[in-house]
Amino acid sequence: MKFSLNRELLLKPLLLVSGAVERKSTLPILGNILFDVKGHLLTLTATDLELEMVAHAEIDNQGEDGKITIPARKLLDICKSLPENSMISFNAENDSVKLTSGRSRYSLSTLSADDFPNIEEWKGDVEFKLLKSELLRLIESTHFSMANQDVRYYLNGMSIESEGNEIRSVATDGHRLAICKISNESLTLPARQVIVPRKGILEIIRLLAPVDEAVQVYLGSNHIRIIDSEFSFTSKLVDGRFPDYRRVLPRNGDKIFVTDKEKLRQVLSRASILSNEKFKGVRLNFLNSLLKITANNPEQEQAEEELEIDFPYDELEIGFNVSYVLDVLNAIKDEKVKFTLADANSSVVIEGADSGEALYVVMPMRL
C-alpha cells in the first residue's frame, strides 16, 4: 500500500475526523484512524464507539488498495508541523507505515484494520435536508442548557424533534430550559424525538459552518447521521425518555417587560463580578421605571446597578442565577429581549422581542 498527497489535502479531513478519536481509551485501536485506500480515494474513519466520523481525500495511488490504522494524535502533529503545500508519501509495510516529505522521514507503528470497530449499517427512518446555518442555529441556540454529568443521563444531551414542517431542539438541566424551532414549508415529517448525547452535540457545532449549504440528516432508532459533501458524522443516541417540557412552560406570566438586550447584558455582567462564586445569585427589583440589580458575596462586598425600564405593574423582586440569564442573552440574536414574569416564585420566560424562534425558561433562586 503506497500513496502520496498534498499536506493541505490530508490536514483538512484529518482535523475533521480527529474529534471522534478516543483520548483515554483502554482499546488502543480507538486512538488510531482507519485509512482505506480504493483507487484514487482515501477514506479516513475515526470512532470512540459513541461517535463515528468519516472524511475523504483524493490521492496519487502508487500501490494496491488496502486498509491500515495509524495513530491519530502523532500523525496530526506531524502533518501540522510540516511546511505548507509539502507532499507526503505513505508506504505501509507489515506493522508500520513510513511517511516521507522532502528530507523528513517518520515511521509509525500501525494496528490491523480488521480490529477497527465499525458502527453497524442502519437505515434512517426519518430524513430531511437543512441548511448548515439553520442546523447550527438550532443547536447553538439551546446547547448551553444541556446538563453535564447529571445522574439523570437523559438530560446530558439534546432532544431533537421532528413534526410536520417543524424541527425543534430542546435542552434542560432541571434549572433552565431552552427551546428553538425552525419551520420549513417544504418538509412533511413524522413526529419523532431523539436524544443526541452532549459529546455529539459539541462535535456537530465544531463541524458546521454558518453557511447556506444543505446537509442531509438521518434519524434512526439508535443513531443520528449527518452527511455533508466533506464528511459523514454518526452518533449513537441516548436511550431514555426526555421529560415532557411542555408541562413546565409557565402559563401564568402576566407582566411583560421589553428592554435593550445589550444594555441589560452589560449591567448583569458587571453585577455578576461581585456575586457569590458558587451560586452566582443576583437580585432584580422591578419598579415602575427602574430595574435595580444587586449582587453580594460572602466577603460582604456588594454591586448595585440600575437600568431605566417601563414596567407598568406592581413592584416585583426576584432572584436568578446570573450565569443562566447571561447565557440566554448571549444566545438571543434580536436587539431587544422580552421577559414574561408572574411572581417571585415563578419561572421567567425570556425570548427575542421580534423573532420568536427560540424560547428560554429560567427558574428563580431564593436569595
Side-chain angles (χ1 to χ4, degrees):
M1 195 172 151
K2 191 177 180 185
F3 62 91
S4 57
L5 74 168
N6 186 294
R7 167 190 179 263
E8 270 51 47
L9 289 178
L10 177 61
L11 196 53
K12 191 168 186 184
L14 257 186
L15 287 166
L16 279 173
V17 302
S18 63
V21 174
E22 184 56 73
R23 301 278 187 272
K24 316 182 196 71
S25 175
T26 50
L27 282 173
I29 193 96
L30 296 183
N32 284 19
I33 291 174
L34 176 68
F35 276 56
D36 185 355
V37 172
K38 281 186 185 145
H40 291 285
L41 185 71
L42 167 65
T43 303
L44 293 82
T45 307
T47 183
D48 63 359
L49 301 181
E50 297 292 322
L51 306 180
E52 182 186 73
M53 277 294 309
V54 181
H56 308 280
E58 284 197 20
I59 55 166
D60 177 16
N61 190 355
Q62 299 132 9
E64 296 175 2
D65 292 354
K67 296 181 182 182
I68 52 168
T69 77
I70 304 176
R73 183 57 41 203
K74 292 170 187 168
L75 179 62
L76 188 57
D77 288 346
I78 290 169
C79 286
K80 280 180 177 174
S81 58
L82 285 171
E84 280 187 23
N85 285 316
S86 49
M87 287 298 290
I88 307 173
S89 295
F90 288 75
N91 192 357
E93 292 173 356
N94 302 326
D95 295 334
S96 70
V97 61
K98 291 181 171 52
L99 275 68
T100 52
S101 179
R103 294 187 173 184
S104 306
R105 284 170 182 72
Y106 300 90
S107 177
L108 293 172
S109 60
T110 61
L111 292 170
S112 169
D114 297 337
D115 298 333
F116 195 82
N118 216 341
I119 290 185
E120 72 271 14
E121 281 303 307
W122 55 277
K123 290 288 287 177
D125 42 17
V126 176
E127 55 181 271
F128 52 87
K129 270 189 176 169
L130 267 186
L131 295 177
K132 285 185 188 177
S133 53
E134 288 181 325
L135 184 56
L136 189 61
R137 197 164 77 238
L138 197 68
I139 288 172
E140 282 192 327
S141 296
T142 56
H143 81 281
F144 56 85
S145 290
M146 291 187 295
N148 192 5
Q149 297 180 323
D150 196 295
V151 291
R152 296 164 295 180
Y153 59 93
Y154 48 83
L155 297 184
N156 301 319
M158 181 184 290
S159 173
I160 303 285
E161 304 172 11
S162 66
E163 189 177 4
N165 65 349
E166 247 183 37
I167 297 155
R168 286 186 295 276
S169 64
V170 188
T172 180
D173 60 7
H175 303 285
R176 53 181 168 171
L177 169 71
I179 305 167
C180 182
K181 63 174 188 284
I182 282 178
S183 299
N184 188 327
E185 294 304 324
S186 64
L187 295 175
T188 48
L189 298 169
R192 189 69 198 279
Q193 183 183 54
V194 300
I195 306 174
V196 184
R198 183 186 180 83
K199 184 175 179 183
I201 290 295
L202 299 179
E203 192 60 24
I204 293 170
I205 292 173
R206 186 182 77 88
L207 291 169
L208 293 177
V211 292
D212 289 344
E213 289 173 20
V215 286
Q216 192 80 25
V217 182
Y218 298 89
L219 306 180
S221 51
N222 299 311
H223 297 90
I224 179 173
R225 179 167 285 167
I226 297 170
I227 295 182
D228 174 45
S229 56
E230 294 183 333
F231 66 82
S232 162
F233 164 87
T234 308
S235 169
K236 282 190 176 175
L237 299 173
V238 176
D239 184 19
R241 277 187 69 80
F242 202 75
D244 183 1
Y245 57 88
R246 290 179 181 85
R247 285 173 50 199
V248 299
L249 288 176
R251 305 260 184 252
N252 58 341
D254 55 358
K255 301 173 183 67
I256 292 174
F257 140 69
V258 179
T259 190
D260 183 280
K261 181 192 74 175
E262 192 52 36
K263 283 181 183 170
L264 181 61
R265 196 185 67 77
Q266 287 175 6
V267 295
L268 285 173
S269 295
R270 291 198 295 268
S272 72
I273 296 167
L274 296 187
S275 65
N276 184 323
E277 282 185 19
K278 194 173 177 188
F279 303 114
K280 285 287 178 193
V282 295
R283 189 177 274 110
L284 276 65
N285 278 78
F286 291 89
L287 311 170
N288 283 103
S289 58
L290 202 65
L291 170 61
K292 281 177 74 171
I293 297 162
T294 51
N296 45 43
N297 59 27
E299 289 85 53
Q300 306 300 313
E301 297 166 332
Q302 184 165 340
E304 198 171 294
E305 290 277 352
E306 290 184 350
L307 189 66
E308 281 189 23
I309 60 164
D310 179 24
F311 193 75
Y313 310 100
D314 293 341
E315 293 179 8
L316 174 65
E317 181 178 297
I318 189 166
F320 289 114
N321 180 323
V322 69
S323 301
Y324 293 171
V325 181
L326 286 171
D327 282 344
V328 170
L329 296 180
N330 287 329
I332 288 175
K333 302 289 185 279
D334 299 22
E335 287 183 9
K336 290 196 175 292
V337 61
K338 180 171 91 173
F339 283 63
T340 306
L341 304 136
D343 54 54
N345 301 315
S346 298
S347 298
V348 61
V349 177
I350 311 173
E351 52 199 318
D354 302 321
S355 65
E357 191 175 79
L359 181 144
Y360 304 92
V361 179
V362 180
M363 284 175 69
M365 268 180 94
R366 284 206 172 86
L367 295 174

